Amino acid sequence: MENVRIKSLGQYLDIVADYDFDLWYRGVGSRDFKTLPQASWMGINPDIQNTMAYRFLRDYGKYVEREESNPWKTYSLMQHHGLPTRLLDWSRSPLVALYFALTQTIVDIKNTRRGIWVLNPLRMNKLTTGAELVYCPSQMGKRRIYNLAEYKESIYPAAGGEIWKSKYGEALKEDGVSFRSLDAFLPYCLFQLDPLNTKKIDTWNVPIAIEAVSTDGRMNSQHSAFTIHSDSSKSIDELFPKESGVISFIEIDNDSVIALMYQLHKSGIHSESIYCDLDSLSQRIRFEMLGV
């Protein structure tokens, strides 16, 4: 995946048409916005993260029909409604990512480089966990990543990934096979939602590509996926060199932003399709009738 600059929707579609189906996309208003979650670039310590999660747990039931018992579904809800978390949003849709890149507000529009980060989640997880798999914690009984390289007869070819070399202590064992708990990524109050969880040991130092299942309409319309990061992990574009094939960047020509917005809108990607509420409906009509 080579870094390129686009000037039209057709050019963008031609580029992504040659990509694998399993790639994820993240639109940003500037390439200077690294692939790190909000809790990391804001420098929010774990105690504050836990307090925010606790207050969300305490009060969010007033605004949903049914509270979630699954901590990962709750955590993704926190992320999608604006609280800083260790989750970084991606989309399986290149068009959704392009919308976010075009609409993100930037002060210095002339000097910025808008664009789309393109992630190969399977390749990244192969390097970090040793297995070419994307995990879905909200649907897993045992939310664990096993070192499949230790299985004598694994159905998945695997080699030792970076998490098995972690400086944050030894992995736990089950039937002689090393594993690390995905729940260790969570704030403590969410970690405690599962009665099987006891002592929280944060053993992660690299990001993992994960997916979440939710009944939240916004998450569905945005084709959401995530990477989850430890407080100590570097951004993905710093961790993996260009030749790794894990991540690349498609730049947007600054002079083509308005034209791309109109082309994207005519293709059915606009505020209403992204956010699915009355405010976004009004915004769509305003754009169509007034151009603003």
Side-chain angles (χ1 to χ4, degrees), residues 96-114:
V96 168
L98 178 60
Y99 174 87
F100 283 116
L102 295 171
T103 57
Q104 194 168 72
T105 302
I106 301 294
V107 175
D108 191 358
I109 185 65
K110 292 182 179 179
N111 294 321
T112 193
R113 291 188 295 167
R114 293 181 184 272

Side-chain angles (χ1 to χ4, degrees), residues 58-291:
R58 182 188 65 191
D59 294 330
Y60 87 108
K62 296 182 289 187
Y63 305 104
V64 296
E65 292 184 4
R66 180 178 61 86
E67 294 187 28
E68 291 287 358
S69 59
N70 187 295
W72 284 91
K73 290 184 179 181
T74 304
Y75 203 42
S76 62
L77 276 178
M78 288 172 55
Q79 168 71 9
H80 264 274
H81 290 281
L83 278 176
T85 72
R86 289 178 168 189
L87 293 169
L88 182 66
D89 288 299
W90 297 83
S91 177
R92 292 182 296 273
S93 166
L95 295 180
V96 168
L98 178 60
Y99 174 87
F100 283 116
L102 295 171
T103 57
Q104 194 168 72
T105 302
I106 301 294
V107 175
D108 191 358
I109 185 65
K110 292 182 179 179
N111 294 321
T112 193
R113 291 188 295 167
R114 293 181 184 272
I116 300 95
W117 289 109
V118 184
L119 177 72
N120 187 322
L122 290 170
R123 186 167 296 174
M124 187 182 80
N125 279 5
K126 173 72 172 178
L127 294 172
T128 56
T129 72
E132 200 170 39
L133 298 169
V134 172
Y135 300 88
C136 187
S138 64
Q139 304 304 106
M140 294 168 65
K142 291 182 178 180
R143 292 185 287 273
R144 299 172 175 177
I145 292 181
Y146 292 89
N147 187 353
L148 299 183
E150 295 179 357
Y151 279 100
K152 293 181 179 179
E153 297 180 2
S154 173
I155 61 173
Y156 299 104
E162 287 300 313
I163 66 169
W164 311 112
K165 306 171 187 176
S166 173
K167 64 182 180 181
Y168 294 100
E170 294 295 323
L172 300 171
K173 294 273 188 177
E174 181 181 289
D175 296 329
V177 177
S178 303
F179 73 86
R180 294 191 185 277
S181 169
L182 281 166
D183 283 3
F185 273 117
L186 296 169
Y188 189 62
C189 64
L190 293 178
F191 177 84
Q192 287 185 305
L193 285 182
D194 190 328
L196 297 178
N197 288 334
T198 53
K199 185 177 181 180
K200 184 175 183 292
I201 304 174
D202 194 345
T203 58
W204 299 96
N205 63 342
V206 290
I208 305 292
I210 64 171
E211 294 188 283
V213 175
S214 175
T215 56
D216 183 80
R218 183 180 295 184
M219 288 178 61
N220 295 329
S221 64
Q222 295 176 13
H223 305 277
S224 294
F226 302 99
T227 48
I228 186 158
H229 303 240
S230 72
D231 288 319
S232 60
S233 63
K234 296 180 181 178
S235 64
I236 297 171
D237 54 297
E238 291 179 285
L239 278 171
F240 300 100
K242 180 180 178 181
E243 57 270 20
S244 69
V246 169
I247 192 163
S248 64
F249 190 78
I250 300 174
E251 188 175 333
I252 296 171
D253 178 70
N254 280 338
D255 295 331
S256 304
V257 169
I258 300 300
L260 277 164
M261 277 293 296
Y262 276 99
Q263 292 167 13
L264 199 59
H265 191 97
K266 289 179 179 179
S267 301
I269 307 297
H270 41 62
S271 57
E272 185 186 5
S273 69
I274 296 292
Y275 294 108
C276 304
D277 58 24
L278 289 175
D279 288 343
S280 58
L281 168 63
S282 299
Q283 186 178 342
R284 175 180 67 81
I285 296 171
R286 180 186 176 97
F287 183 83
E288 290 173 349
M289 303 305 297
L290 304 176

